[in-house]
Amino acid sequence: MQTKLYGHDVTMRWTFFSLLLIAGLSVAFGSVAVVFGWHQDIASNWVHHNLLVLYKETELLSTAQDINISTRGYVLTKNPKFLQQFKDATRCLSRQAEELTTLIAVNPKQHHMITAEVQPSLQAFLHASQELSIIGDTDAAMAQKAAMDALRKGLNDLVLEEERSLSERQNDVAMFTKVFWIALVVQLLGGCALLVTVFRSLRQYQTESHEKLLQLQRARDEAIVAREIAEEALETKKRFLSTVSHEVRTPMAGVIGLTEILSLQDLGTENNATVKAAFDSSARLLQILNDMLEAGRLESGKVALENRRFPVRAVLGDVRQLITPDAVKKQLSVTGFCDDKIPEYVSGDELRVRQVLLNLAFNAVKFTDSGHVEVSASLKESTDEKTVIRFFVTDTGVGISAADQENIFHPFAQVLDTTKRVQGGTGLGLPIAKELVQLMGGQIGVMSEPGSGSTFWFEAPFIAGNCKL
Amino acid sequence: MSDFRILVVEDDPVMRMLTQKQLSILGYTSDVVGTGEEAVARDGADITLIFMDIGLPGIDGIHATRLIREQELKEQRKRTPIVALTAHSNKQDCLLAGMDDFLQKPARLADIQRILDSWLPNRENSS
């Protein structure tokens, strides 16, 4: 599923990138099209201008021709009509020349040509024509012809220049047009490509999203099933534990009760010992059963701690007293102290503190063959909110190896060496003690070295409660 | 002490034998019935205390206790102490049903003696 999601992201990134690229190119080519289209427009206008100028120049030449003809005609026939024609044409010529000059003014080169060459030629021509009309002799005619030729030449130069300019501009127009169209087509193609890409990636995104959704749903369904299985397994375990313990209790009760009754009677030394052994055995069995139940209850969180005032020193005293019979049999001394700074009463779960302390104390007696067992308490910390008391049981017994110290608080842990200290336990006594201490919000531990005894300790916070409620 | 007659309601034969032996060692006579129905029928003015098992064939100990209490009310008899003697551990349910105390199996002689000391009427006050 990981790869799928990753692929999804890569597709998104790729799509985004290519969309950006296409959009960018689109904008670029679009701008080019616009710019060149604009230039083409301007260039077209210039071409138009060129054509207009050329037309006007032709017109001018034609009018000059009219002057020529009319003067010649007048000279030959002295017909006043010709003179009138001459006068009209002269006026026309001047006007046209002015118009042309104005029109051409925008082109510096042509403007120079027209003012430098054509205008003078024109004036000369008009003057010569005028002379001809008045004098009317061959010299005057020749002079007019010469002036006409000069004018024609000047105009021709102008026309050539204009045509050159026209050609140039027409090339420009062609170029602009070509670029414009190319840019436009490319941009349109780009636009299409953009649309296609967008469409396809949307489709792909949709498909992938759908797939991702399906995957998530499948995963969720699997998780639900897994949790249901786990819950059911837990329920089964609880029911099993409960059923077993109840099923077992009744025959257990039978054995314990009946062996107890037997033990009250004197059946002879050997039988007495046998019965005693049977009774002890059954008592141990019951202890194991109770431990198992307690462990199960702790696990399912059904244990609630009490919070009542109890006398600390009395509890310590009781525990010492309870282990004294067994200790005396092994010639061990039982000692201990209680820190003065610990208040007389504290609030907590007396029963559970007692339970843990007894567990540790009985273990200490069991695994000590000579010396003493000490059951004590010291004040670890005292604030307004809590009083932390450290209880500890120290013995001069066989001690525990570092390796075993790791394991002894774990239920049914494997014993790594054969000190037998942990083997003797229920397998559940110390783990239960640990659970209870942790439930109280405290810690439990051991300090020991093989051959030099052990100190089992636990600390827990209590609420100082000196005043009797 | 033999004035007191204790009723034991228990279906398991081994447990019946055990409880009767235990009571006998402590010096009390006892009657035994095996079902809740029989317990309701047997209860009367001559029964001083009832040890009631919960797990019974037919109606269970809790139900039987309720019936006995109703019966006592109807017949206007004094309330007989009923002590649960069971492998189960729901003390609350037992007390709510009308039982007076609770002993979890296996019960040792000392436990039974303690219960009897608590609930049997004093010799001075016995009628």
Side-chain angles (χ1 to χ4, degrees), chain A residues 240-299:
Chain A
F240 173 73
L241 205 62
S242 171
T243 310
V244 162
S245 76
H246 289 142
E247 295 283 324
V248 166
R249 265 184 197 284
T250 305
M252 270 267 35
V255 171
I256 287 182
L258 294 170
T259 46
E260 186 190 25
I261 289 175
L262 272 181
S263 72
L264 293 174
Q265 304 178 21
D266 184 12
L267 306 166
T269 321
E270 208 178 309
N271 284 339
N272 286 345
T274 307
V275 168
K276 178 85 172 57
F279 179 71
D280 287 343
S281 214
S282 65
R284 276 269 299 114
L285 200 56
L286 183 67
Q287 182 64 40
I288 291 173
L289 188 68
N290 282 338
D291 282 352
M292 268 172 46
L293 265 188
E294 178 88 339
R297 268 204 301 269
L298 281 169
E299 200 180 310

Short mmCIF file of all heavy atoms in Angstrom, two decimals, chain A residues 240-299:
data_model
loop_
_atom_site.label_atom_id
_atom_site.label_comp_id
_atom_site.label_asym_id
_atom_site.label_seq_id
_atom_site.Cartn_x
_atom_site.Cartn_y
_atom_site.Cartn_z
N PHE A 240 -12.61 -18.62 30.96
CA PHE A 240 -11.89 -19.84 31.26
C PHE A 240 -11.31 -19.77 32.67
O PHE A 240 -11.50 -20.69 33.48
CB PHE A 240 -10.78 -20.03 30.23
CG PHE A 240 -9.86 -21.16 30.52
CD1 PHE A 240 -10.28 -22.46 30.33
CD2 PHE A 240 -8.58 -20.94 30.98
CE1 PHE A 240 -9.43 -23.52 30.59
CE2 PHE A 240 -7.73 -21.99 31.24
CZ PHE A 240 -8.15 -23.28 31.05
N LEU A 241 -10.63 -18.66 32.92
CA LEU A 241 -10.01 -18.49 34.24
C LEU A 241 -11.05 -18.58 35.34
O LEU A 241 -10.88 -19.28 36.34
CB LEU A 241 -9.32 -17.13 34.30
CG LEU A 241 -8.18 -17.01 35.28
CD1 LEU A 241 -7.07 -17.95 34.92
CD2 LEU A 241 -7.67 -15.58 35.30
N SER A 242 -12.16 -17.88 35.12
CA SER A 242 -13.21 -17.86 36.14
C SER A 242 -13.79 -19.25 36.34
O SER A 242 -13.94 -19.71 37.47
CB SER A 242 -14.30 -16.88 35.69
OG SER A 242 -15.40 -16.98 36.53
N THR A 243 -14.12 -19.90 35.24
CA THR A 243 -14.71 -21.24 35.32
C THR A 243 -13.77 -22.21 36.02
O THR A 243 -14.16 -22.92 36.94
CB THR A 243 -15.01 -21.79 33.92
OG1 THR A 243 -15.74 -20.81 33.19
CG2 THR A 243 -15.80 -23.07 34.00
N VAL A 244 -12.52 -22.23 35.57
CA VAL A 244 -11.55 -23.15 36.15
C VAL A 244 -11.44 -22.93 37.64
O VAL A 244 -11.50 -23.87 38.43
CB VAL A 244 -10.16 -22.99 35.49
CG1 VAL A 244 -9.09 -23.60 36.35
CG2 VAL A 244 -10.16 -23.62 34.12
N SER A 245 -11.30 -21.66 38.03
CA SER A 245 -11.10 -21.42 39.45
C SER A 245 -12.29 -21.89 40.27
O SER A 245 -12.14 -22.48 41.33
CB SER A 245 -10.85 -19.93 39.69
OG SER A 245 -12.06 -19.23 39.61
N HIS A 246 -13.49 -21.68 39.74
CA HIS A 246 -14.67 -22.12 40.49
C HIS A 246 -14.80 -23.63 40.47
O HIS A 246 -15.14 -24.24 41.48
CB HIS A 246 -15.93 -21.46 39.92
CG HIS A 246 -15.98 -20.01 40.24
ND1 HIS A 246 -16.46 -19.09 39.37
CD2 HIS A 246 -15.58 -19.34 41.33
CE1 HIS A 246 -16.36 -17.89 39.91
NE2 HIS A 246 -15.83 -18.01 41.11
N GLU A 247 -14.53 -24.22 39.33
CA GLU A 247 -14.61 -25.67 39.25
C GLU A 247 -13.64 -26.32 40.22
O GLU A 247 -13.93 -27.35 40.82
CB GLU A 247 -14.23 -26.14 37.83
CG GLU A 247 -15.19 -25.70 36.74
CD GLU A 247 -16.46 -26.54 36.74
OE1 GLU A 247 -16.36 -27.75 37.01
OE2 GLU A 247 -17.53 -25.98 36.48
N VAL A 248 -12.44 -25.69 40.31
CA VAL A 248 -11.40 -26.29 41.13
C VAL A 248 -11.64 -26.10 42.62
O VAL A 248 -11.28 -26.95 43.44
CB VAL A 248 -10.03 -25.70 40.72
CG1 VAL A 248 -8.96 -26.02 41.75
CG2 VAL A 248 -9.62 -26.20 39.36
N ARG A 249 -12.26 -24.98 42.94
CA ARG A 249 -12.40 -24.65 44.36
C ARG A 249 -13.12 -25.71 45.18
O ARG A 249 -12.74 -25.99 46.31
CB ARG A 249 -13.16 -23.33 44.52
CG ARG A 249 -12.22 -22.18 44.65
CD ARG A 249 -12.99 -20.90 44.90
NE ARG A 249 -12.13 -19.78 44.62
CZ ARG A 249 -11.16 -19.38 45.43
NH1 ARG A 249 -10.95 -19.97 46.58
NH2 ARG A 249 -10.40 -18.36 45.09
N THR A 250 -14.17 -26.25 44.62
CA THR A 250 -14.98 -27.18 45.42
C THR A 250 -14.19 -28.42 45.82
O THR A 250 -14.09 -28.74 47.00
CB THR A 250 -16.28 -27.54 44.68
OG1 THR A 250 -16.96 -26.34 44.35
CG2 THR A 250 -17.15 -28.42 45.52
N PRO A 251 -13.60 -29.13 44.85
CA PRO A 251 -12.78 -30.27 45.29
C PRO A 251 -11.61 -29.84 46.18
O PRO A 251 -11.23 -30.55 47.11
CB PRO A 251 -12.29 -30.90 43.98
CG PRO A 251 -12.64 -29.97 42.91
CD PRO A 251 -13.69 -29.08 43.38
N MET A 252 -11.05 -28.66 45.90
CA MET A 252 -9.98 -28.12 46.74
C MET A 252 -10.46 -27.98 48.17
O MET A 252 -9.79 -28.38 49.12
CB MET A 252 -9.59 -26.72 46.23
CG MET A 252 -8.54 -26.69 45.22
SD MET A 252 -6.88 -26.47 45.86
CE MET A 252 -6.87 -27.29 47.35
N ALA A 253 -11.65 -27.38 48.28
CA ALA A 253 -12.21 -27.20 49.61
C ALA A 253 -12.33 -28.54 50.31
O ALA A 253 -12.05 -28.68 51.50
CB ALA A 253 -13.57 -26.53 49.51
N GLY A 254 -12.77 -29.53 49.52
CA GLY A 254 -12.91 -30.86 50.10
C GLY A 254 -11.60 -31.36 50.65
O GLY A 254 -11.51 -31.77 51.84
N VAL A 255 -10.56 -31.31 49.86
CA VAL A 255 -9.26 -31.83 50.29
C VAL A 255 -8.74 -31.07 51.51
O VAL A 255 -8.34 -31.68 52.51
CB VAL A 255 -8.24 -31.74 49.13
CG1 VAL A 255 -6.86 -32.08 49.63
CG2 VAL A 255 -8.64 -32.66 48.01
N ILE A 256 -8.76 -29.76 51.43
CA ILE A 256 -8.22 -28.96 52.54
C ILE A 256 -8.99 -29.22 53.83
O ILE A 256 -8.40 -29.48 54.89
CB ILE A 256 -8.26 -27.46 52.17
CG1 ILE A 256 -7.19 -27.14 51.15
CG2 ILE A 256 -8.07 -26.61 53.42
CD1 ILE A 256 -7.12 -25.71 50.76
N GLY A 257 -10.33 -29.13 53.69
CA GLY A 257 -11.14 -29.31 54.89
C GLY A 257 -10.92 -30.67 55.52
O GLY A 257 -10.73 -30.80 56.74
N LEU A 258 -10.93 -31.70 54.69
CA LEU A 258 -10.83 -33.06 55.22
C LEU A 258 -9.45 -33.34 55.79
O LEU A 258 -9.33 -33.98 56.85
CB LEU A 258 -11.20 -34.07 54.13
CG LEU A 258 -12.68 -33.99 53.70
CD1 LEU A 258 -12.94 -34.82 52.47
CD2 LEU A 258 -13.58 -34.44 54.85
N THR A 259 -8.42 -32.87 55.12
CA THR A 259 -7.08 -33.10 55.69
C THR A 259 -6.91 -32.31 56.98
O THR A 259 -6.21 -32.74 57.90
CB THR A 259 -5.94 -32.71 54.72
OG1 THR A 259 -6.23 -31.44 54.15
CG2 THR A 259 -5.79 -33.73 53.63
N GLU A 260 -7.55 -31.16 57.06
CA GLU A 260 -7.46 -30.38 58.30
C GLU A 260 -8.07 -31.19 59.45
O GLU A 260 -7.50 -31.25 60.54
CB GLU A 260 -8.20 -29.05 58.14
CG GLU A 260 -8.00 -28.15 59.35
CD GLU A 260 -8.91 -26.93 59.34
OE1 GLU A 260 -9.99 -26.99 58.71
OE2 GLU A 260 -8.54 -25.94 59.98
N ILE A 261 -9.23 -31.77 59.15
CA ILE A 261 -9.90 -32.56 60.20
C ILE A 261 -9.01 -33.73 60.63
O ILE A 261 -8.84 -34.00 61.82
CB ILE A 261 -11.27 -33.07 59.69
CG1 ILE A 261 -12.23 -31.89 59.61
CG2 ILE A 261 -11.80 -34.15 60.61
CD1 ILE A 261 -13.56 -32.24 59.00
N LEU A 262 -8.43 -34.40 59.64
CA LEU A 262 -7.54 -35.51 59.95
C LEU A 262 -6.38 -35.05 60.83
O LEU A 262 -5.98 -35.74 61.78
CB LEU A 262 -6.99 -36.13 58.68
CG LEU A 262 -7.79 -37.25 58.02
CD1 LEU A 262 -7.05 -37.75 56.79
CD2 LEU A 262 -8.02 -38.39 59.01
N SER A 263 -5.86 -33.87 60.48
CA SER A 263 -4.66 -33.41 61.19
C SER A 263 -4.94 -33.11 62.66
O SER A 263 -4.02 -33.01 63.46
CB SER A 263 -4.08 -32.17 60.51
OG SER A 263 -4.91 -31.05 60.75
N LEU A 264 -6.22 -32.97 62.99
CA LEU A 264 -6.55 -32.70 64.39
C LEU A 264 -6.48 -33.98 65.23
O LEU A 264 -6.40 -33.92 66.45
CB LEU A 264 -7.97 -32.11 64.50
CG LEU A 264 -8.14 -30.71 63.91
CD1 LEU A 264 -9.60 -30.31 63.94
CD2 LEU A 264 -7.31 -29.71 64.70
N GLN A 265 -6.51 -35.11 64.56
CA GLN A 265 -6.51 -36.37 65.31
C GLN A 265 -5.10 -36.93 65.38
O GLN A 265 -4.26 -36.67 64.52
CB GLN A 265 -7.43 -37.38 64.64
CG GLN A 265 -8.85 -36.84 64.48
CD GLN A 265 -9.71 -37.85 63.76
OE1 GLN A 265 -9.39 -39.05 63.74
NE2 GLN A 265 -10.80 -37.41 63.19
N ASP A 266 -4.87 -37.72 66.42
CA ASP A 266 -3.57 -38.35 66.57
C ASP A 266 -3.64 -39.73 65.93
O ASP A 266 -4.30 -40.63 66.43
CB ASP A 266 -3.19 -38.45 68.04
CG ASP A 266 -1.80 -39.01 68.24
OD1 ASP A 266 -1.04 -39.10 67.23
OD2 ASP A 266 -1.46 -39.35 69.39
N LEU A 267 -2.95 -39.89 64.78
CA LEU A 267 -3.00 -41.17 64.07
C LEU A 267 -1.68 -41.91 64.18
O LEU A 267 -1.38 -42.81 63.41
CB LEU A 267 -3.32 -40.94 62.59
CG LEU A 267 -4.58 -40.13 62.30
CD1 LEU A 267 -4.60 -39.69 60.84
CD2 LEU A 267 -5.82 -40.95 62.62
N GLY A 268 -0.90 -41.51 65.09
CA GLY A 268 0.45 -42.11 65.17
C GLY A 268 1.43 -41.19 64.49
O GLY A 268 1.08 -40.44 63.58
N THR A 269 2.67 -41.23 64.94
CA THR A 269 3.69 -40.26 64.48
C THR A 269 3.82 -40.20 62.97
O THR A 269 3.79 -39.14 62.36
CB THR A 269 5.08 -40.63 65.06
OG1 THR A 269 4.92 -41.08 66.39
CG2 THR A 269 6.00 -39.42 65.03
N GLU A 270 3.96 -41.37 62.33
CA GLU A 270 4.22 -41.38 60.89
C GLU A 270 2.99 -40.86 60.14
O GLU A 270 3.10 -40.02 59.25
CB GLU A 270 4.54 -42.81 60.44
CG GLU A 270 5.45 -42.80 59.22
CD GLU A 270 5.81 -44.21 58.80
OE1 GLU A 270 6.25 -44.97 59.67
OE2 GLU A 270 5.61 -44.52 57.61
N ASN A 271 1.79 -41.36 60.51
CA ASN A 271 0.58 -40.90 59.85
C ASN A 271 0.37 -39.41 60.06
O ASN A 271 -0.07 -38.70 59.15
CB ASN A 271 -0.65 -41.68 60.36
CG ASN A 271 -0.69 -43.06 59.77
OD1 ASN A 271 -0.09 -43.33 58.73
ND2 ASN A 271 -1.42 -43.96 60.43
N ASN A 272 0.68 -38.94 61.27
CA ASN A 272 0.53 -37.51 61.54
C ASN A 272 1.36 -36.70 60.58
O ASN A 272 0.89 -35.70 60.01
CB ASN A 272 0.96 -37.18 62.98
CG ASN A 272 -0.06 -37.64 63.99
OD1 ASN A 272 -1.20 -37.96 63.64
ND2 ASN A 272 0.33 -37.67 65.26
N ALA A 273 2.60 -37.15 60.38
CA ALA A 273 3.48 -36.42 59.47
C ALA A 273 2.93 -36.45 58.06
O ALA A 273 2.95 -35.44 57.34
CB ALA A 273 4.88 -37.03 59.50
N THR A 274 2.44 -37.64 57.65
CA THR A 274 1.87 -37.77 56.30
C THR A 274 0.69 -36.83 56.10
O THR A 274 0.61 -36.11 55.09
CB THR A 274 1.40 -39.23 56.07
OG1 THR A 274 2.48 -40.11 56.35
CG2 THR A 274 0.94 -39.42 54.64
N VAL A 275 -0.22 -36.85 57.09
CA VAL A 275 -1.40 -35.98 56.99
C VAL A 275 -0.98 -34.52 56.96
O VAL A 275 -1.50 -33.73 56.14
CB VAL A 275 -2.36 -36.22 58.19
CG1 VAL A 275 -3.41 -35.14 58.24
CG2 VAL A 275 -3.01 -37.58 58.07
N LYS A 276 0.00 -34.18 57.81
CA LYS A 276 0.46 -32.78 57.82
C LYS A 276 0.98 -32.37 56.45
O LYS A 276 0.69 -31.30 55.92
CB LYS A 276 1.57 -32.63 58.88
CG LYS A 276 2.18 -31.24 58.97
CD LYS A 276 1.34 -30.32 59.88
CE LYS A 276 2.03 -28.99 60.14
NZ LYS A 276 2.35 -28.24 58.95
N ALA A 277 1.77 -33.28 55.84
CA ALA A 277 2.33 -33.00 54.51
C ALA A 277 1.22 -32.80 53.49
O ALA A 277 1.26 -31.89 52.65
CB ALA A 277 3.26 -34.12 54.09
N ALA A 278 0.20 -33.70 53.55
CA ALA A 278 -0.93 -33.59 52.62
C ALA A 278 -1.63 -32.24 52.80
O ALA A 278 -1.97 -31.56 51.83
CB ALA A 278 -1.91 -34.74 52.85
N PHE A 279 -1.80 -31.88 54.05
CA PHE A 279 -2.49 -30.61 54.34
C PHE A 279 -1.69 -29.43 53.81
O PHE A 279 -2.22 -28.53 53.15
CB PHE A 279 -2.71 -30.47 55.85
CG PHE A 279 -3.37 -29.19 56.22
CD1 PHE A 279 -4.71 -28.97 55.92
CD2 PHE A 279 -2.66 -28.17 56.84
CE1 PHE A 279 -5.32 -27.78 56.25
CE2 PHE A 279 -3.27 -26.97 57.18
CZ PHE A 279 -4.60 -26.78 56.88
N ASP A 280 -0.36 -29.42 54.08
CA ASP A 280 0.49 -28.33 53.59
C ASP A 280 0.44 -28.23 52.07
O ASP A 280 0.36 -27.14 51.49
CB ASP A 280 1.95 -28.54 54.02
CG ASP A 280 2.13 -28.26 55.51
OD1 ASP A 280 1.24 -27.60 56.09
OD2 ASP A 280 3.15 -28.71 56.08
N SER A 281 0.49 -29.38 51.44
CA SER A 281 0.44 -29.43 49.99
C SER A 281 -0.84 -28.80 49.45
O SER A 281 -0.82 -27.99 48.52
CB SER A 281 0.51 -30.89 49.54
OG SER A 281 1.21 -31.01 48.35
N SER A 282 -1.95 -29.17 50.04
CA SER A 282 -3.23 -28.63 49.57
C SER A 282 -3.32 -27.14 49.84
O SER A 282 -3.88 -26.38 49.05
CB SER A 282 -4.40 -29.37 50.21
OG SER A 282 -4.42 -29.15 51.60
N ALA A 283 -2.74 -26.70 50.95
CA ALA A 283 -2.75 -25.26 51.25
C ALA A 283 -1.97 -24.50 50.18
O ALA A 283 -2.37 -23.44 49.72
CB ALA A 283 -2.16 -25.01 52.64
N ARG A 284 -0.83 -25.09 49.79
CA ARG A 284 -0.02 -24.46 48.74
C ARG A 284 -0.80 -24.37 47.44
O ARG A 284 -0.77 -23.37 46.73
CB ARG A 284 1.26 -25.28 48.51
CG ARG A 284 2.35 -24.95 49.45
CD ARG A 284 3.26 -23.86 48.93
NE ARG A 284 3.90 -24.27 47.70
CZ ARG A 284 3.68 -23.71 46.54
NH1 ARG A 284 2.87 -22.70 46.44
NH2 ARG A 284 4.28 -24.16 45.47
N LEU A 285 -1.50 -25.47 47.13
CA LEU A 285 -2.31 -25.51 45.91
C LEU A 285 -3.34 -24.40 45.91
O LEU A 285 -3.54 -23.70 44.90
CB LEU A 285 -3.01 -26.87 45.83
CG LEU A 285 -3.51 -27.32 44.47
CD1 LEU A 285 -2.38 -27.34 43.47
CD2 LEU A 285 -4.12 -28.70 44.60
N LEU A 286 -3.96 -24.22 47.04
CA LEU A 286 -4.94 -23.15 47.16
C LEU A 286 -4.30 -21.79 46.95
O LEU A 286 -4.86 -20.91 46.29
CB LEU A 286 -5.62 -23.20 48.54
CG LEU A 286 -6.73 -22.16 48.71
CD1 LEU A 286 -7.90 -22.48 47.81
CD2 LEU A 286 -7.18 -22.10 50.17
N GLN A 287 -3.11 -21.63 47.49
CA GLN A 287 -2.39 -20.37 47.33
C GLN A 287 -2.16 -20.06 45.85
O GLN A 287 -2.36 -18.95 45.38
CB GLN A 287 -1.06 -20.44 48.08
CG GLN A 287 -0.24 -19.16 48.02
CD GLN A 287 -0.93 -18.00 48.70
OE1 GLN A 287 -1.53 -18.16 49.75
NE2 GLN A 287 -0.87 -16.84 48.09
N ILE A 288 -1.73 -21.11 45.13
CA ILE A 288 -1.49 -20.93 43.68
C ILE A 288 -2.78 -20.50 42.99
O ILE A 288 -2.79 -19.59 42.17
CB ILE A 288 -0.97 -22.24 43.05
CG1 ILE A 288 0.43 -22.54 43.56
CG2 ILE A 288 -0.96 -22.14 41.53
CD1 ILE A 288 0.96 -23.88 43.13
N LEU A 289 -3.86 -21.18 43.30
CA LEU A 289 -5.15 -20.85 42.70
C LEU A 289 -5.53 -19.40 42.96
O LEU A 289 -5.92 -18.66 42.06
CB LEU A 289 -6.22 -21.79 43.27
CG LEU A 289 -7.58 -21.71 42.60
CD1 LEU A 289 -7.49 -22.25 41.20
CD2 LEU A 289 -8.59 -22.51 43.40
N ASN A 290 -5.37 -19.00 44.22
CA ASN A 290 -5.70 -17.61 44.56
C ASN A 290 -4.82 -16.63 43.82
O ASN A 290 -5.29 -15.59 43.34
CB ASN A 290 -5.57 -17.39 46.06
CG ASN A 290 -6.76 -17.96 46.81
OD1 ASN A 290 -7.82 -18.14 46.23
ND2 ASN A 290 -6.57 -18.26 48.09
N ASP A 291 -3.54 -16.95 43.72
CA ASP A 291 -2.62 -16.08 43.00
C ASP A 291 -3.05 -15.93 41.55
O ASP A 291 -3.04 -14.83 40.99
CB ASP A 291 -1.19 -16.62 43.04
CG ASP A 291 -0.53 -16.32 44.37
OD1 ASP A 291 -1.13 -15.57 45.15
OD2 ASP A 291 0.58 -16.83 44.61
N MET A 292 -3.41 -17.06 40.93
CA MET A 292 -3.83 -17.03 39.53
C MET A 292 -5.04 -16.14 39.36
O MET A 292 -5.11 -15.33 38.43
CB MET A 292 -4.19 -18.44 39.05
CG MET A 292 -3.02 -19.16 38.42
SD MET A 292 -3.36 -20.87 38.06
CE MET A 292 -4.96 -20.81 37.30
N LEU A 293 -5.99 -16.28 40.26
CA LEU A 293 -7.19 -15.45 40.19
C LEU A 293 -6.85 -13.98 40.36
O LEU A 293 -7.34 -13.11 39.64
CB LEU A 293 -8.18 -15.86 41.29
CG LEU A 293 -9.25 -16.86 40.87
CD1 LEU A 293 -10.26 -17.01 41.98
CD2 LEU A 293 -9.94 -16.41 39.60
N GLU A 294 -5.99 -13.71 41.35
CA GLU A 294 -5.60 -12.33 41.60
C GLU A 294 -4.91 -11.74 40.39
O GLU A 294 -5.19 -10.62 39.99
CB GLU A 294 -4.66 -12.28 42.83
CG GLU A 294 -4.15 -10.90 43.16
CD GLU A 294 -5.06 -10.12 44.10
OE1 GLU A 294 -6.25 -10.47 44.17
OE2 GLU A 294 -4.60 -9.18 44.74
N ALA A 295 -4.02 -12.53 39.80
CA ALA A 295 -3.31 -12.06 38.60
C ALA A 295 -4.31 -11.74 37.50
O ALA A 295 -4.21 -10.72 36.82
CB ALA A 295 -2.30 -13.10 38.14
N GLY A 296 -5.29 -12.65 37.33
CA GLY A 296 -6.31 -12.43 36.31
C GLY A 296 -7.11 -11.17 36.58
O GLY A 296 -7.39 -10.39 35.68
N ARG A 297 -7.44 -10.96 37.85
CA ARG A 297 -8.23 -9.77 38.22
C ARG A 297 -7.43 -8.51 37.97
O ARG A 297 -7.94 -7.52 37.47
CB ARG A 297 -8.65 -9.84 39.68
CG ARG A 297 -10.00 -10.49 39.91
CD ARG A 297 -10.60 -10.01 41.21
NE ARG A 297 -9.72 -10.33 42.33
CZ ARG A 297 -9.79 -11.45 43.04
NH1 ARG A 297 -10.68 -12.36 42.73
NH2 ARG A 297 -8.97 -11.67 44.04
N LEU A 298 -6.15 -8.56 38.32
CA LEU A 298 -5.30 -7.38 38.12
C LEU A 298 -5.23 -7.05 36.64
O LEU A 298 -5.29 -5.90 36.24
CB LEU A 298 -3.88 -7.64 38.65
CG LEU A 298 -3.69 -7.53 40.15
CD1 LEU A 298 -2.34 -8.06 40.55
CD2 LEU A 298 -3.83 -6.09 40.60
N GLU A 299 -5.11 -8.12 35.83
CA GLU A 299 -4.98 -7.91 34.40
C GLU A 299 -6.23 -7.28 33.81
O GLU A 299 -6.15 -6.43 32.94
CB GLU A 299 -4.73 -9.27 33.72
CG GLU A 299 -4.11 -9.12 32.36
CD GLU A 299 -3.88 -10.48 31.73
OE1 GLU A 299 -3.29 -11.34 32.39
OE2 GLU A 299 -4.33 -10.68 30.60
#
